[in-house]
Amino acid sequence: MVLADNILQQASDMTFGVWFLIGAALVFFMQAGFAMVETGFTRAKNAGNIIMKNLMDFCIGTVMFVIIGFGLLLGEDAIGLIGKPGFDIFTSYQSFNWSDFVFNLVFCATTATIVSGAMAERTKFISYCVYSAVISGLIYPIEAHWIWGGGWLSNWGFHDFAGSCAIHMVGGISALVGAKILGARIGKFTRGKDGKIKVHAFPGHNLTIGALGCFILWFGWYGFNGAAAKSVDGLASIFLTTTVAPAVATVTCMIFTWIKYGKPDVSMCLNASLAGLVGITAGCDVMDFTGSFIVGIVSGLLVVFGVWLLDYVLHIDDPVGAVAVHMFNGIWGTIAVGLFATGSAPENAISGNLKGLFYGGGFSLLGKQLVGILAVAAWTAVTISIVFLVIKATIGLRASREEEIIGLDATEHGLVSSYADFAPSIEITSATVEHESSIPEPPIAPKVPVEKAVEVESYVAPSSSRISKVVVICKRQKLNTLLSALEAISVTGVTVTNVLGMGMQKGQPEYYRGVEVESNLLPKTKVEVVICKVPVQKVIDTAKAALYTGHIGDGKIFVYPVDEVVKVRTGEVGYDALQDE
C-alpha cells in the first residue's frame, strides 16, 4: 500500500510538473496577446514599433533576469527585502531549478509589457529598452521577492496567488507614472476658448487584431492563474473563477456603456474582459463562484471609471487603457482577497485556509492586503519615477513632434508601413444589393428638393466637348443602387473609391471609449465615369434619381471636360477609345 501511494504521489508530482511548464508556455504566449491588443488599439503608423517593443520586452527581460533579476527574486533571503544575487545558472547548471526560472521569467516579462501600452505612439525606442530592462532586472524582482520569494509580505500572510499586485498593479502604476511624465499624444487634449480642456478620441486602427489579442490573453490566463495549482480539484476551481470573473465583467461593461453612450462600446468591453482577469488573479485559488462573480461586476465598472478618470480628470493619455485595466483592477483584486477568501475553495487549505471579511475572517487578512498594496505601490512609484526622470534628463524619453506625426514605424525603424502590401478594397455583391433597402436612412433633416439634396456642378460648356467626366460623391450604402442605374443606361466603365468628406451635415454622435468622435469627416464613395455616347444630362438625371432620399448630403455631382482618351491596348483615341468591343 505504501509503495502504491508513493507511485501515485510520484505520478501526481510528475503530472503537475509538466503542467507547470505548460502553464509557463501559455504565459509566454500571452506576449502575443499583449502585442495584438496594443497594436489594434493604436494607429497603423506605429504598428511595427509596437510589435518590436513587445518582442524586446521578453528578450531584454530574459537577459536582465539571468544577470540579476532571478537572484533578487528567488535567491537566499536577506532580511526579508531581497534575494541574494547569484550565478547558479552558470556555475551549478546540473542542479539548477530550470522550471522555476522559466516560470518566473515569463511572469517578469508581463510586467514590462503592461507599461508599453500606456506610453505607446510617442516614446523613443531606446528609452523604452532602458526602462524595460530596469523593470525586469530590478523593480519587479524585488517586490516579487517580498510576495513570492520568502520576503516579509509572504511570511506575514499577504496573499497574491498569481499577481494582481506583484505584476498587474506594478505594471499599471509604472504605466501611470510613465504616461504622466511623458505627456499626451499630440492633439489628444486641447484647450478651448473658454479655457476648458477638450478630450479627443483616437480610434484604434484595427479592433479585429485587438479582439484577437484579448482572446489570446484570456486563453493564456488559464496558465497564468492555474500553473501553480497543487491539486486537480484546485486547478478546476481556478479555471472556473478565471472564466466567471472576466465574463461577468464584460457583460457588466456592455450593459453600462450601452446605457451611458447609447451603444455598447467594443473596445471598452475588450478591456473589461482583461479587467476581470486581472481582478481575479490574486484570489483565483481562494475564492468561490460568488466571490468571482462580484469581482467581475466591480471590474466591469471599474475599467470604465478608470478610462474616464484618466481622460477627463487627470488628463493622462493612455491609448490602450493599461492603467484602468491593470492598476485599478490589480488593486481591486488584491483587496478582494481580504473580502471573499473562503474555506470552500479547494486550494485554500493549501494556501493556509484564508478567510475574508465576508466569510468570517474579520479584518485581519484585509488589513494585510491593504498594507501590502501600499508597500508595493510606494516602492514602484518611487523607483519608476526616478528611472523615467533620469531617462528624460539624459537620452530623452519622448520622440520629437515630427517623429510622432510621421509615425514611429518610419522614424524609429525605417518602415514605410507595417501594411506595405495591404490596400482597402470595395466588394460589390448581389447580396449587398438585395439587403440595401434594409439600411435605414438617418433622420438628419426634413426632406428637401432634389436640387439641394444632390447638387450638380458643371464645368463643361454646352457642346464644348463631346467627351466628359462625371464624378459622383454619394453615401456608401447607395453605391449599388447607383451602379445598377448607370448600367441600365449603358454606362459600364466605372471607377469607385472610398473617400472621406466634410460637408454641412454632421451625422449622428458616436463614442470611442467614452469620448465623442468628431464627425467632421464622413465616409463617402466617389464614382467616376467618362462618357461620350450617353448624354451628360441623362447620366446626371439617372444619378440624381438613384441617390435622392430627400436629405441634405444625399450626394454631389461634378462634370468636367475631357480633352482626350487613349485606349492603351489598341491605340484608339477619342470616341472610339470609349466603345466596348
Side-chain angles (χ1 to χ4, degrees):
M1 179 65 79
V2 174
L3 179 61
D5 289 342
N6 289 338
I7 293 174
L8 289 174
Q9 184 61 47
Q10 289 178 5
S12 176
D13 292 344
M14 184 176 295
T15 300
F16 277 95
V18 172
W19 162 243
F20 188 69
L21 290 174
I22 292 174
L26 289 173
V27 176
F28 168 75
F29 188 50
M30 290 171 69
Q31 290 291 131
F34 282 115
M36 294 298 96
V37 168
E38 186 180 342
T39 303
F41 278 30
T42 51
R43 292 169 290 185
K45 64 182 180 180
N46 300 303
N49 173 259
I50 288 167
I51 295 297
M52 185 69 171
K53 288 193 299 183
N54 279 268
L55 172 65
M56 297 315 298
D57 271 333
F58 185 80
C59 297
I60 293 174
T62 297
V63 173
M64 294 303 298
F65 203 64
V66 168
I67 294 173
I68 191 171
F70 183 71
L72 290 175
L73 200 167
L74 292 177
E76 183 183 349
D77 179 60
I79 64 172
L81 295 178
I82 62 171
K84 294 180 180 178
F87 295 95
D88 290 352
I89 193 171
F90 297 106
T91 60
S92 305
Y93 186 76
Q94 188 173 2
S95 59
F96 187 71
N97 193 329
W98 315 297
S99 296
D100 266 1
F101 176 84
V102 172
F103 185 73
N104 283 282
L105 167 62
V106 294
F107 274 76
C108 177
T110 301
T111 309
T113 300
I114 293 168
V115 187
S116 171
M119 301 175 67
E121 301 200 283
R122 72 267 198 210
T123 305
K124 293 174 68 172
F125 182 71
I126 181 64
S127 304
Y128 180 81
C129 292
V130 171
Y131 76 69
S132 179
V134 176
I135 291 172
S136 299
L138 181 67
I139 296 175
Y140 166 77
I142 289 178
E143 56 86 10
H145 175 80
W146 300 352
I147 298 170
W148 294 325
W152 67 279
L153 281 176
S154 63
N155 291 330
W156 190 41
F158 176 85
H159 186 79
D160 181 12
F161 185 70
S164 287
C165 177
I167 295 173
H168 297 284
M169 189 191 77
V170 169
I173 290 174
S174 300
L176 178 67
V177 173
K180 176 62 177 178
I181 294 174
L182 185 64
R185 291 169 291 176
I186 296 170
K188 176 64 178 177
F189 303 109
T190 58
R191 192 176 295 276
K193 294 180 180 179
D194 58 359
K196 294 181 179 179
I197 294 177
K198 180 175 176 56
V199 183
H200 300 271
F202 288 0
H205 85 280
N206 195 328
L207 283 183
T208 305
I209 288 180
L212 175 62
C214 179
F215 282 113
I216 290 174
L217 286 169
W218 195 329
F219 175 70
W221 228 286
Y222 290 111
F224 197 94
N225 284 358
K230 302 296 191 299
S231 67
V232 174
D233 287 344
L235 179 61
S237 178
I238 290 171
F239 267 48
L240 184 145
T241 56
T242 304
T243 303
V244 170
V248 172
T250 308
V251 172
T252 302
C253 180
M254 180 192 71
I255 294 171
F256 182 79
T257 56
W258 206 331
I259 294 171
K260 185 172 178 59
Y261 306 123
K263 295 178 182 177
D265 191 303
V266 178
S267 68
M268 201 80 85
C269 286
L270 293 174
N271 272 163
S273 297
L274 303 181
L277 289 163
V278 171
I280 198 60
T281 295
C284 60
D285 63 324
V286 296
M287 290 188 200
D288 58 11
F289 171 83
T290 303
S292 63
F293 195 95
I294 297 172
V295 165
I297 292 175
V298 176
S299 293
L301 297 173
L302 195 56
V303 71
V304 181
F305 169 76
V307 170
W308 171 85
L309 183 69
L310 262 67
D311 276 349
Y312 288 96
V313 178
L314 303 178
H315 303 305
I316 295 175
D317 184 14
D318 179 0
V320 305
V323 176
V325 169
H326 298 280
M327 188 191 83
F328 282 86
N329 286 281
I331 293 171
W332 159 237
T334 309
I335 292 173
V337 172
L339 300 175
F340 304 114
T342 172
S344 64
E347 285 283 300
N348 202 351
I350 301 173
S351 300
N353 199 22
L354 303 174
K355 289 185 179 181
L357 175 65
F358 297 137
Y359 287 84
F363 288 93
S364 174
L365 179 58
L366 179 60
K368 293 174 182 178
Q369 297 298 108
L370 292 173
V371 170
I373 289 169
L374 292 174
V376 174
W379 161 257
T380 304
V382 171
T383 52
I384 199 64
S385 295
I386 294 170
V387 171
F388 284 135
L389 291 173
V390 169
I391 292 173
K392 185 177 181 180
T394 53
I395 60 176
L397 186 60
R398 182 167 184 144
S400 70
R401 181 181 179 87
E402 180 183 3
E403 289 171 334
E404 183 180 342
I405 292 172
I406 294 171
L408 300 184
D409 281 6
T411 58
E412 290 274 20
H413 308 286
L415 293 173
V416 176
S417 170
S418 295
Y419 302 93
D421 289 335
F422 178 81
S425 61
I426 296 175
E427 189 173 318
I428 302 167
T429 65
S430 57
T432 308
V433 178
E434 261 178 47
H435 297 291
E436 183 188 356
S437 60
S438 66
I439 301 175
E441 291 290 340
I444 299 171
K447 286 206 170 188
V448 296
V450 66
E451 291 78 13
K452 289 187 177 181
V454 186
E455 299 180 49
V456 179
E457 293 188 19
S458 178
Y459 302 92
V460 180
S463 304
S464 65
S465 173
R466 61 194 185 113
I467 304 176
S468 302
K469 180 170 77 169
V470 179
V471 179
V472 182
I473 306 294
C474 65
K475 297 174 180 177
R476 290 184 179 177
Q477 61 261 40
K478 280 291 185 179
L479 174 61
N480 291 285
T481 300
L482 176 61
L483 295 181
S484 299
L486 291 175
E487 186 177 4
I489 61 171
S490 301
V491 177
T492 55
V494 179
T495 300
V496 180
T497 312
N498 278 331
V499 296
L500 295 174
M502 182 171 66
M504 295 296 294
Q505 74 282 5
K506 295 298 183 182
Q508 300 298 316
E510 300 292 346
Y511 294 88
Y512 178 76
R513 303 177 66 75
V515 178
E516 185 173 344
V517 179
E518 297 178 1
S519 48
N520 292 330
L521 294 176
L522 301 174
K524 298 284 185 179
T525 297
K526 180 168 73 172
V527 178
E528 300 173 280
V529 297
V530 177
I531 55 174
C532 181
K533 186 176 181 180
V534 181
V536 172
Q537 192 58 47
K538 187 174 184 179
V539 175
I540 292 173
D541 292 341
T542 300
K544 289 166 73 173
L547 301 178
Y548 180 66
T549 66
H551 301 297
I552 292 176
D554 278 345
K556 206 161 191 177
I557 301 172
F558 301 87
V559 183
Y560 304 93
V562 177
D563 293 333
E564 190 60 277
V565 178
V566 179
K567 184 181 286 187
V568 175
R569 180 174 59 84
T570 63
E572 295 174 303
V573 297
Y575 176 89
D576 295 332
L578 293 174
Q579 307 312 304
D580 294 329
E581 296 178 355

